[in-house]
Amino acid sequence: MKVLYVASECAPFVKTGGLADVIGAVPKVLEQLGASIKVLLPAYPALAKVLKGGKTVAQLGDLHSGNARLVAVRKEGLDLLLLDAPHLFDRPGNIYLDDSGRDWADNHLRFGALSAIGAKVALEGAGRWKPDVVHAHDWQAGLIPAYLRQAGKGAPPSIVTIHNIAFQGLFDASVRHTLGIGDELFTYEGAEYYGKLGFLKAGLALCDKITTVSPTYARELLTPKFGMGLEGLLQARSDDLSGILNGIDPDIWNPATDPDLVTTYSSRSLKRRGKNRTEIESRFGLTPYPGAPLFCVVSRLTRQKGLDLLLEVLPDLVERGGRLALLGSGDSDLETGFKDAADRYAGSVGVIIGYDEALSHLLQGGSDAILVPSRFEPCGLTQLYGVRYGTLPVVARTGGLADTVVDADNAAIKSRRATGVVFDPVTADGLRQAIQRACDLFDKPETWRSMVRAAMRYPVGWDGSAPQYLELYDRMTRPGTGKETR
Ligand code: ADP
């Protein structure tokens, strides 16, 4: 099975969120299962060195007023195809946003180009390699099914994965001419979304199969509360929609070998976590106090993540003796709110605004619990890292959080299956009670330790999910199914 992945980010090269982790991990697992996967990515500056070591497999000519080429290279266990178009992708800073924090004004060209070249490789191949299926991820690859539809016969089947439906890639209708999207596709059944050109809408309307990153989010997406305007389309296509749970890369996220920890450990040497905790305390300016739980947050600071709720209940967390180490960046009101809280509760609340991969590992390796009070969460990865590192997740009952954390109710504690605290409704009160429950559980060291061990045993890799992708690709390419039935 040969599959072309098309995405806008991929760990460890370029990452702004969970999408990158998934794109960096799944192809490796699928290769072990016998598939051949190539990942098409824009050649951002972060990939400059990798690009240099690659081989040009196609000259693409002019692509929106600049020369472009396709470069193949194997790196970090991944077969990469890099879209080298310096006028579109060789610019400093955030891959989506300019210096003032606004979307790059030409994002429609940048990711329209990624989609167009994705469709070209799907149709013509790269070198001697030609995919059986093309797998587009999020809105940045959303126009691929539209280009394939325009190409007509001979196009391979396509699948679109929704990693977060909040980001839809909506642009002025007029840009469709520059992007070569014909009027016949600019319809309610195609790429049009309330008078605009919708990249994700186009993908979801015109692809063969749709997946998202957890079974619960797949169900939630069919409702107005979570579907963000696309619920009607998804309802109409519900037979083609499925939820395949994300996993984590167990080599990169392994407390027994993690180079970013002060001390590595396993479930049999939990005491060793103490040194990581001490390092966290020192980095975040927290007063050492082993008798109370150390909570952490590693997150984009946005409303989605429910961190305004955390700000609201922070006084209660501190009153209860808890401490918080928060690493994140995002909305300026939340950044300011947490910085103020760190001043007000100096010693109990430590805040580092920024993005720091190594520090995110340390937080998982030394905190007691990780807070993820998201209003919606397609899958969520930080709770999975928490589970693997024995940093018990306290999470909202939504999306992948609900699918991956076993709440510490009496039955789960008794049967030693509990791995965290799951709460609803997702309100300040709900979060307050969840933190209270976590503190109560922490006060019973035996129960807490048993939960930590249960968490560290819990399967969070790709063993369960990767075969589901393969099965889906198989179904899509089998004669008489998938593409032929639509
Ligand atoms: P999302 O993709 O919605 O941001 P996920 O939980 O799926 O949320 O993935 C977030 C990923 O980004 C995780 O790997 C997390 O560790 C990482 N991350 C988020 N914020 C930071 C930060 N400030 N510093 C380092 N890593 C971060």
Side-chain angles (χ1 to χ4, degrees), residues 120-362:
K120 187 178 165 68
V121 175
L123 290 160
E124 299 168 14
R128 279 197 297 273
W129 186 91
K130 200 164 171 217
D132 302 307
V133 174
V134 53
H135 192 156
H137 295 267
D138 270 353
W139 74 264
Q140 293 88 353
L143 286 188
I144 291 177
Y147 289 123
L148 293 181
R149 182 65 65 94
Q150 288 187 163
K153 273 198 165 160
S158 60
I159 164 170
V160 171
T161 292
I162 304 167
H163 294 263
N164 190 339
I165 207 159
F167 305 108
Q168 297 190 359
L170 292 178
F171 298 97
D172 192 87
S174 62
V175 307
R176 71 185 189 276
H177 304 299
T178 324
L179 296 176
I181 297 294
D183 284 345
E184 71 287 357
L185 286 186
F186 192 67
T187 62
Y188 178 73
E189 292 82 17
E192 187 262 350
Y193 183 75
Y194 293 102
K196 295 202 158 212
L197 175 68
F199 273 46
L200 185 62
K201 159 80 196 306
L204 297 179
L206 300 168
C207 69
D208 296 283
K209 294 285 177 196
I210 302 168
T211 67
T212 188
V213 289
S214 70
T216 294
Y217 194 55
R219 286 191 299 275
E220 289 173 342
L221 282 174
L222 303 179
T223 66
K225 182 173 170 200
F226 293 95
M228 305 219 170
L230 290 171
E231 62 275 8
L233 166 59
L234 291 171
Q235 282 162 19
R237 296 217 55 193
S238 58
D239 286 350
D240 292 316
L241 167 68
S242 58
I244 300 179
L245 197 62
N246 276 346
I248 66 174
D249 188 327
D251 296 331
I252 293 175
W253 293 93
N254 181 356
T257 57
D258 193 328
D260 294 320
L261 302 187
V262 175
T263 334
T264 55
Y265 62 92
S266 73
S267 58
R268 284 188 303 278
S269 56
L270 292 172
K271 281 220 171 86
R272 290 165 63 87
R273 299 179 98 249
K275 287 206 173 126
N276 298 324
R277 184 189 169 107
T278 304
E279 177 69 10
I280 295 170
E281 287 164 349
S282 128
R283 300 271 297 267
F284 284 82
L286 297 170
T287 312
Y289 182 40
L294 170 59
F295 293 93
C296 75
V297 168
V298 179
S299 185
R300 291 186 287 123
L301 301 182
T302 64
R303 217 185 116 72
Q304 176 201 335
K305 300 292 181 180
L307 293 169
D308 50 318
L309 306 177
L310 178 58
L311 268 181
E312 227 179 301
V313 308
L314 214 44
D316 305 85
L317 184 150
V318 173
E319 176 129 330
R320 182 64 173 74
R323 291 170 305 152
L324 173 73
L326 176 140
L327 168 66
S329 62
D331 295 354
S332 55
D333 54 335
L334 287 171
E335 289 188 358
T336 310
F338 279 107
K339 279 192 286 197
D340 289 350
D343 287 343
R344 198 169 324 130
Y345 302 111
S348 293
V349 174
V351 169
I352 295 181
I353 300 296
Y355 191 95
D356 186 333
E357 191 74 27
L359 187 53
S360 77
H361 283 244
L362 179 69

Side-chain angles (χ1 to χ4, degrees), residues 22 35 69 104 126 166 245 287 289 371 395:
V22 174
R69 63 182 181 132
W104 290 107
L245 197 62
T287 312
Y289 182 40
L371 297 169
V395 303

